[in-house]
Amino acid sequence: MRRTSGRTAASRASSMIALPDRVRSPWWELGRRLLLALAILTGTVLLVYLDNEGYIDGNDPTGEVDLSDSIYYTTVTLSTTGYGDIAPVSEAARLVNAFLITPARIAFLVLLIGTTLEVLASQGRELFRIARWRRSMGQRVVVVGYGTKGRSAVDTLVNNGQSRDSIVIVDPNPAAKQDAHDDGLTVIIGDATRRQVLRQAGVAEADQVIITTDRDDSNVLATLTVRQLNPDAWIVASVREHENVPLMRQSGANSVITSSDAVGRLLGLSSMSPMLGSVMEDLLTYGEGLEVAERDLLVTEVGKQPQQLPDQVIAVVRDEKVYRYFDPVVTQLARGDRLIVVRPAKELPWAPRPGTHGEESADEQD
């Protein structure tokens, strides 16, 4: 019995109810606070009117305080104007002023001045920032999942010229939100398999979507939803198991990366040949040693063979197809070709640019 009770207590302790935050407009919040202020005014008027015998009106020959005088006294008292023409004279009225009306005056001022200004300033400023952010978004990249793979993908994008302002993170984990904010990124907290969440992230207008959650089934559902919202987006998705690659491609992913196979192959290569493993790791590391890059074909390179170029060409992109450098189809390079090369990271930065010294690309020549 003790063990059962212990397990029950542990399960209760580990569970937590997290209610969603209510998002309301600043005008709704302002209206609610005005109603609360009106309630304070009405309550104070009733206090004064019911005890009107304890007050005296200095401007009235009879000295009596009626309902209109009670309203007048309440407004000038709560607003701290206090002309002094109506004053409490009985002991009971003075005590009511000290212990009821004075706290009501403080609450009234805090409610209207403090809270209202805070709501209008913070929420209004946030809505303005969001609207301005949506208008200024350029080539948007949406990254679903901000774990190890998501952070590495973002680092690669940023290091190669992508603006942080154009990257949007979608992740349901509050810890990921904090990490992304620390990195200067915009975050949408929510499930990426839900249409509303992806719409809020701007997937419909995104140029690229990177999907890197830890579950293959979630990646498939997210890919399907993204493809339905944006048929033209370039979707790169990761999967843990190689057997899920065909399913991911059928879901609409343009490129699928198998994380477990890639890591396993690198481990195997490093085991058989430590030097080969170090070279592969070098190629996968940004900014050091060698790196794989894609660039335009230069004017001076048209008509040459891939082996004749200064860069080590490993593939040629022609008509949206990739050919290995030794393929007979790309024996001679032509305008419109793009090159996949291995080159020194320090000399030639990764980017789809013509070159590093202002050379003219083949596509730019008339």
Side-chain angles (χ1 to χ4, degrees):
M1 292 296 294
R2 291 183 179 177
R3 293 182 179 178
T4 303
S5 300
R7 287 195 298 269
T8 303
S11 62
R12 290 177 180 175
S14 61
S15 62
M16 181 180 297
I17 298 175
L19 299 178
D21 294 331
R22 295 182 179 179
V23 179
R24 298 187 176 99
S25 69
W27 300 112
W28 190 97
E29 293 289 346
L30 178 59
R32 184 172 71 90
R33 283 158 175 77
L34 288 175
L35 289 177
L36 290 175
L38 182 60
I40 293 176
L41 283 170
T42 304
T44 307
V45 168
L46 291 176
L47 283 175
V48 175
Y49 181 70
L50 293 177
D51 191 28
N52 60 352
E53 294 180 357
Y55 294 81
I56 187 172
D57 186 356
N59 294 328
D60 190 339
T62 64
E64 296 181 355
V65 175
D66 55 14
L67 180 60
S68 61
D69 294 329
S70 299
I71 296 175
Y72 167 75
Y73 175 77
T74 298
T75 55
V76 299
T77 300
L78 292 185
S79 63
T80 68
T81 304
Y83 294 112
D85 46 353
I86 299 178
V89 292
S90 69
E91 183 178 354
R94 292 178 184 275
L95 291 176
V96 168
N97 267 261
F99 295 104
L100 294 179
I101 296 180
T102 297
R105 179 191 302 122
I106 296 174
F108 183 85
L109 293 176
V110 170
L111 182 66
L112 280 187
I113 299 177
T115 308
T116 302
L117 291 180
E118 188 275 332
V119 169
L120 290 177
S122 62
Q123 295 193 15
R125 183 171 59 250
E126 187 65 19
L127 291 176
F128 176 77
R129 287 179 58 201
I130 293 174
R132 184 176 60 182
W133 167 73
R134 292 190 181 279
R135 290 194 302 268
S136 63
M137 287 292 286
Q139 294 183 343
R140 182 176 307 182
V141 179
V142 178
V143 179
V144 177
Y146 202 62
T148 302
K149 291 177 288 187
R151 285 194 295 270
S152 297
V154 169
D155 288 342
T156 301
L157 291 172
V158 172
N159 289 332
N160 290 287
Q162 186 75 35
S163 172
R164 291 183 184 271
D165 295 335
S166 63
I167 300 175
V168 182
I169 306 298
V170 180
D171 199 301
N173 190 351
K177 172 186 175 182
Q178 186 60 48
D179 292 340
H181 279 176
D182 292 342
D183 294 335
L185 302 171
T186 302
V187 187
I188 305 297
I189 299 295
D191 185 358
T193 62
R194 299 178 63 87
R195 288 174 174 267
Q196 185 58 34
V197 174
L198 292 176
R199 285 196 183 100
Q200 189 177 4
V203 164
E205 299 84 24
D207 294 320
Q208 302 175 42
V209 180
I210 301 174
I211 302 176
T212 65
T213 71
D214 293 332
R215 295 172 56 94
D216 285 1
D217 54 350
S218 298
N219 288 342
V220 170
L221 289 175
T223 302
L224 283 169
T225 308
V226 170
R227 183 54 73 200
Q228 290 177 354
L229 293 174
N230 189 341
D232 300 325
W234 181 268
I235 301 177
V236 180
S238 67
V239 293
R240 286 179 172 270
E241 304 298 334
H242 184 75
E243 61 185 13
N244 294 325
V245 172
L247 181 60
M248 188 66 71
R249 292 191 182 277
Q250 292 176 7
S251 301
N254 299 99
S255 179
V256 182
I257 308 299
T258 308
S259 57
S260 59
D261 282 2
V263 173
R265 181 169 177 79
L266 184 57
L267 291 172
L269 289 174
S270 299
S271 176
M272 292 186 299
S273 173
M275 297 301 102
L276 179 57
S278 64
V279 172
M280 294 298 298
E281 185 178 1
D282 182 16
L283 292 174
L284 296 174
T285 303
Y286 174 80
E288 297 179 2
L290 300 173
E291 66 182 24
V292 180
E294 178 183 352
R295 70 168 176 85
D296 295 328
L297 181 69
L298 304 183
V299 174
T300 57
E301 297 170 341
V302 175
K304 294 184 177 180
Q305 297 180 355
Q307 297 88 335
Q308 296 176 330
L309 303 188
D311 287 335
Q312 301 296 318
V313 180
I314 59 177
V316 178
V317 181
R318 177 178 295 179
D319 298 329
E320 302 301 324
K321 294 182 179 180
V322 179
Y323 299 93
R324 295 178 176 86
Y325 72 94
F326 52 80
D327 196 304
V329 176
V330 292
T331 301
Q332 285 189 332
L333 298 173
R335 291 186 180 182
D337 289 348
R338 297 184 60 79
L339 306 179
I340 308 297
V341 301
V342 176
R343 59 190 183 187
K346 294 182 179 179
E347 295 181 12
L348 301 174
W350 190 103
R353 294 192 287 263
T356 57
H357 307 293
E359 300 95 332
E360 184 180 12
S361 69
D363 292 338
E364 292 177 348
Q365 189 183 43
D366 295 332

